[in-house]
Amino acid sequence: MAEENDPKRLGKAERDIVALGIATAAIILFVATGGAVLPDVWRSLWGQGDGPNLFLVNAMLLNIALVIFGWRRYNELTAEVSDRRIAEATAQKLAETDPLTECLNRRSLTQVTQDLCALSQNTGRPVAMIGIDVDNFKQINDMHGHATGDMALIEITKRLRKLLPDHASLARPGGDEFAVVMAYDQREENALEELTMRLCQGVNQRMNLNAVSIDTSISAGFATNCEIPGLYDAWIDAEALIHRADIAMYHSKKKGKNRFSVFEPSMGAELRIRNELEYGVRRGIEQQEFVPYYEQQVDIDSDELVGFEMLARWLSPEMGIVSPEIFIPIAEEIGVISSLSEQLMAQAFQDARSWDPSITLSVNISPVQMRDPWFSQKLLKLLVEHQFPPHRLEIEITESCVHDNLGMVRSMIASLRNQGVKVSLDDFGTGYASLSQLRTLEFDRLKIDRSFVSELSNVESDSKIIDAIVSLGNGLDMPITAEGIEDERVLDILRELGHFKGQGFHYGRPETSAEVSKRLEKLGKLCTDDNSAKLGRRKTVHDLKFDGEEKRAKG
Ligand code: C2E
Ligand code: MG
Ligand code: MG
């Protein structure tokens, strides 16, 4: 096979000596025989002579046939060779490039990087690599379909190409990843970092594809193969260079996406920890290591317990109890937030069924889930499966959701409210929800962010902010919850400012399901006819641990 594709053989075939030799010999013979036969033919036509020698006539005719055969064979061969050359060039292009964007593929990126790195040791010109990953590309595919996703990749390629110098190679090693590799002059290093920044800015412009507007951005990582700038014997190889650009790119992702980072050795350790966390979250979902904790919500005027906010905790076998501030962003990024949230909600509905029917349950929902067009259907299914009444459920969404896609958020809120579920705006005051957004989005409640509430007793201006939020809530007919109440003084100030539902460490830290049951039992608010034992709720690892601790304490 290799021999068949040997370009030398193709070249030989192109100049096929035998076919050409036959045609040439036939032409010479034709001239010779024709020279003898044709004068005799001419003379015999005028009635002179005996006519042409029959043997020579046959030889001449044979020559004519040979000339035609040789010429046709030669032409066919030349055409065949040119077809094969085109086919081989196409095959080579397919093997080296990505068919969608016509960028280099992973294999040829490695090859080009290896070649450049090998060369740089001789020339002293270092090699730079920029690792690029499109932010939230999965959402583009999920929301608008794969055809639009493909168009977005083509548009991103165009934008990158427009900004890159001619000697740079652009590759798409896979999915939504791109990479740029090029040799450069040491003195240009700053210019290259600026180029990386311009690539990020260039892609971060709205695209109009298939009649939809898509806002996209990229995270990039920059690395060079010269370990110590200016020291020409401190080169790293191609594999290490690709790895470093990847590490720097992941660093940008972790820092909030839509940015670029220059590789630093400490990033490697961070990435390892991050990978372990990602693996841990995936395994934790499988092993049901995530459990709901509950924070009390109290009517601050009557001091009556009116509900609980479910706050997720990860009972990691390696790290102990892990805060949602750590694992929720990871679950969002690796695309498992929906399954994690559904698992937690299922446990919470089961737990809350044994509470007094007057007690509500609030659940936090990630912006990623708000972008899922099936979210309200999925929620309804869960509610039905666990026979939990929708009117007892309150969904908390943060202000950042509101900016993502106002139209979609509006219809999601409407659909949830149609099911009887209440929707509140969490952490109000920390985002940028405008008054018009607040008016068009029909929230049932505003939750003032704890940063304003917990400092209430110290900072004069914060009471004015809360005062303003209270007026706003009254104007929009939205009740208000104050979170982060840590002491009696704050509570007193709040009581003066208006009527609130309150929550915070003053009322107690978030508790396990078992602790909540005990609390409600004391208050006479635990339903005995519908308790978790009768419902057959599977005891979680945490319940068992809690039961054990309790027995030890008693015993
Ligand atoms: P959040 O919804 O605003 O929840 C209130 C957070 O404030 C909780 O932190 C709670 O423990 C803390 N907190 C309550 N009272 C006080 C107080 O008096 N002082 C102070 N300093 N803090 C107080 P936590 O449990 O760490 O949750 C952090 C955030 O994680 C939550 O903020 C929520 O946005 C998110 N979260 C928690 N569970 C889930 C979940 O199941 N899904 C999603 N998507 N997000 C969740
Ligand atoms: Mg909340
Ligand atoms: Mg909050």
Side-chain angles (χ1 to χ4, degrees):
M1 189 68 191
E3 210 178 294
E4 257 177 41
N5 292 334
D6 183 354
K8 276 190 200 150
R9 278 191 54 152
L10 274 185
K12 240 164 86 186
E14 208 168 21
R15 303 182 300 272
D16 193 313
I17 304 293
V18 179
L20 200 61
I22 292 173
T24 319
I27 290 168
I28 296 167
L29 278 173
F30 173 73
V31 172
T33 51
V37 171
L38 289 176
D40 286 351
V41 172
W42 182 254
R43 273 195 296 277
S44 86
L45 280 176
W46 294 101
Q48 298 166 1
D50 298 339
N53 180 326
L54 213 58
F55 176 74
L56 284 178
V57 171
N58 285 339
M60 190 186 76
L61 291 176
L62 196 64
N63 277 337
I64 294 172
L66 275 176
V67 169
I68 295 169
F69 166 78
W71 189 247
R72 280 196 54 185
R73 179 77 195 115
Y74 183 71
N75 276 340
E76 275 169 13
L77 263 173
T78 326
E80 199 180 311
V81 167
S82 103
D83 285 352
R84 277 184 59 183
R85 276 193 196 285
I86 293 169
E88 272 172 23
T90 315
Q92 193 170 4
K93 195 174 166 199
L94 285 176
E96 284 178 354
T97 58
D98 146 50
L100 181 71
T101 59
E102 296 191 351
C103 293
L104 298 180
N105 59 18
R106 183 180 297 277
R107 205 182 68 168
S108 43
L109 169 71
T110 313
Q111 189 59 55
V112 170
T113 314
Q114 276 167 356
D115 293 348
L116 284 175
C117 285
L119 208 66
S120 71
Q121 305 201 13
N122 302 327
T123 59
R125 275 167 65 81
V127 182
M129 170 156 287
I130 307 170
I132 296 170
D133 195 279
V134 183
D135 298 330
N136 307 323
F137 185 68
K138 189 175 176 299
Q139 280 156 28
I140 299 180
N141 269 339
D142 290 351
M143 275 175 73
H144 307 290
H146 287 260
T148 310
D150 284 355
M151 285 165 77
L153 290 173
I154 294 171
E155 179 60 29
I156 292 169
T157 310
K158 269 195 216 154
R159 292 180 181 188
L160 293 173
R161 278 224 170 92
K162 219 166 119 187
L163 294 163
L164 288 172
D166 291 343
H167 63 282
S169 302
L170 177 63
R172 180 178 162 235
D176 56 355
E177 287 168 51
F178 290 86
V180 176
V181 62
M182 70 183 117
Y184 68 100
D185 197 305
Q186 291 256 316
R187 286 163 299 182
E188 291 170 8
E189 195 156 315
N190 286 345
L192 280 182
E193 287 184 25
E194 275 165 28
L195 170 72
T196 315
M197 195 166 68
R198 279 206 306 282
L199 293 179
C200 293
Q201 288 164 351
V203 172
N204 190 5
Q205 307 282 334
R206 179 161 289 190
M207 329 181 165
N208 290 310
L209 307 169
N210 258 354
V212 283
S213 293
I214 294 175
D215 288 308
T216 186
S217 62
I218 52 173
S219 300
F222 177 86
T224 76
N225 73 330
C226 184
E227 191 98 60
I228 305 158
L231 196 69
Y232 290 138
D233 55 358
W235 303 106
I236 57 163
D237 65 11
E239 203 185 323
L241 174 62
I242 296 174
H243 188 56
R244 286 185 176 189
D246 249 12
I247 289 178
M249 186 274 289
Y250 278 114
H251 186 82
S252 302
K253 285 261 176 213
K254 214 182 59 192
K255 290 283 160 204
K257 305 178 182 169
N258 189 17
R259 66 193 63 214
F260 86 96
S261 314
V262 180
F263 173 81
E264 279 168 29
S266 63
M267 290 176 180
E270 278 176 37
L271 188 71
R272 255 194 314 282
I273 294 171
R274 166 80 191 190
N275 285 344
E276 279 165 20
L277 278 170
E278 284 183 7
Y279 169 75
V281 168
R282 285 184 203 279
R283 190 213 46 206
I285 294 176
E286 271 170 35
Q287 307 285 324
Q288 308 231 343
E289 290 167 8
F290 293 92
V291 293
Y293 269 50
Y294 301 96
E295 181 171 301
Q296 299 174 63
Q297 295 177 322
V298 175
D299 180 319
I300 65 166
D301 292 330
S302 64
D303 263 349
E304 191 191 348
L305 174 63
V306 288
F308 287 96
E309 175 174 3
M310 189 270 276
L311 295 164
R313 296 289 180 265
W314 177 17
L315 306 178
S316 157
E318 293 88 19
M319 294 173 283
I321 300 182
V322 183
S323 146
E325 315 259 25
I326 294 181
F327 64 80
I328 295 284
I330 295 175
E332 285 175 344
E333 208 170 300
I334 62 175
V336 296
I337 186 69
S338 297
S339 40
L340 171 59
S341 174
E342 282 166 30
Q343 206 177 81
L344 284 160
M345 281 195 280
Q347 292 182 59
F349 294 159
Q350 218 46 314
D351 290 339
R353 275 183 58 180
S354 63
W355 306 343
D356 186 278
S358 66
I359 293 179
T360 58
L361 171 71
S362 298
V363 171
N364 293 285
I365 291 300
S366 142
V368 176
Q369 289 170 281
M370 288 300 284
R371 288 187 216 116
D372 174 3
W374 299 105
F375 174 71
S376 59
Q377 272 84 347
K378 287 180 186 167
L379 182 68
L380 184 64
K381 188 165 166 270
L382 268 180
L383 286 166
V384 172
E385 262 172 27
H386 298 278
Q387 296 168 30
F388 189 75
H391 69 267
R392 285 181 61 194
L393 179 66
E394 191 168 301
I395 293 290
E396 294 190 5
I397 66 172
T398 51
E399 272 189 290
S400 58
C401 287
V402 174
H403 311 293
D404 279 358
N405 184 342
L406 193 62
M408 190 151 171
V409 174
R410 193 185 298 131
S411 65
M412 180 77 75
I413 293 177
S415 141
L416 289 170
R417 294 185 80 214
N418 279 343
Q419 289 175 23
V421 176
K422 297 196 179 58
V423 185
S424 58
L425 184 59
D426 201 359
D427 302 342
F428 181 65
T430 52
Y432 304 94
S434 68
L435 282 179
S436 70
Q437 283 170 341
L438 278 184
R439 226 186 26 237
T440 55
L441 297 172
E442 291 182 88
F443 289 108
D444 292 285
R445 176 172 288 276
L446 289 181
K447 292 190 73 176
I448 310 177
D449 188 67
R450 62 177 185 268
S451 56
F452 299 116
V453 180
S454 51
E455 291 296 314
L456 203 52
S457 52
N458 309 333
V459 185
E460 163 75 7
S461 61
D462 278 343
S463 89
K464 291 198 185 107
I465 292 177
I466 293 185
D467 214 13
I469 297 175
V470 171
S471 315
L472 185 74
N474 288 340
L476 294 169
D477 204 15
M478 284 184 205
I480 297 175
T481 298
E483 50 175 39
I485 304 175
E486 289 185 350
D487 55 51
E488 195 68 41
R489 280 182 66 192
V490 171
L491 197 55
D492 289 342
I493 299 173
L494 282 172
R495 282 193 184 117
E496 275 169 29
L497 288 171
H499 179 73
F500 295 94
K501 218 195 239 188
Q503 57 183 92
F505 295 165
H506 174 66
Y507 296 105
R509 299 268 165 169
E511 297 171 331
T512 63
S513 155
E515 286 165 329
V516 166
S517 296
K518 277 177 165 290
R519 176 181 296 283
L520 292 177
E521 201 172 13
K522 271 190 215 149
L523 294 171
K525 288 194 169 184
L526 195 65
C527 298
T528 45
D529 58 336
D530 192 13
N531 60 25
S532 55
K534 275 199 179 159
L535 289 165
R537 174 176 174 271
R538 199 165 73 76
K539 285 207 171 191
T540 63
V541 194
H542 194 256
D543 288 337
L544 295 171
K545 193 170 160 236
F546 182 79
D547 291 350
E549 274 168 10
E550 204 181 22
K551 272 188 201 141
R552 267 199 304 281
K554 278 184 186 158

